[in-house]
């Protein structure tokens, strides 16, 4: 999993460098920026959970 996350960094950099990344394609779909923020938040949550498992 760590390799997949690191490997996707270049993809996200490319996607988010597009000025249109802040725009939703339609009302029911997040923008690429919103998806990226969601992925970031999930990574933080799972990192915290993993740390709790490793500490116990």
């Amino acid at each position: 999993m760590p390799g997949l996350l690191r490997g996707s960094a270049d993809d996200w950099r490319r996607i988010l460098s597009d000025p249109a990344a802040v725009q939703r394609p339609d009302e029911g779909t997040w923008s690429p920026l919103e998806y990226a923020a969601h992925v970031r938040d999930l990574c933080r949550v799972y990192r915290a959970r993993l740390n709790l498992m490793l500490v116990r």
Side-chain angles (χ1 to χ4, degrees):
M1 190 61 164
L4 288 173
L5 291 172
R6 285 188 199 100
S8 71
D10 288 335
D11 293 331
W12 280 113
R13 197 172 291 114
R14 179 183 49 76
I15 291 165
L16 295 175
S17 68
D18 183 346
V22 299
Q23 298 171 351
R24 288 182 171 191
D26 58 66
E27 189 62 32
T29 306
W30 286 352
S31 71
L33 180 61
E34 290 170 307
Y35 276 111
H38 179 68
V39 169
R40 177 207 58 206
D41 294 345
L42 285 177
C43 287
R44 289 177 177 171
V45 167
Y46 284 105
R47 180 182 61 198
R49 290 179 181 178
L50 178 60
N51 284 335
L52 285 173
M53 288 186 282
L54 294 173
V55 170
R56 294 180 183 206

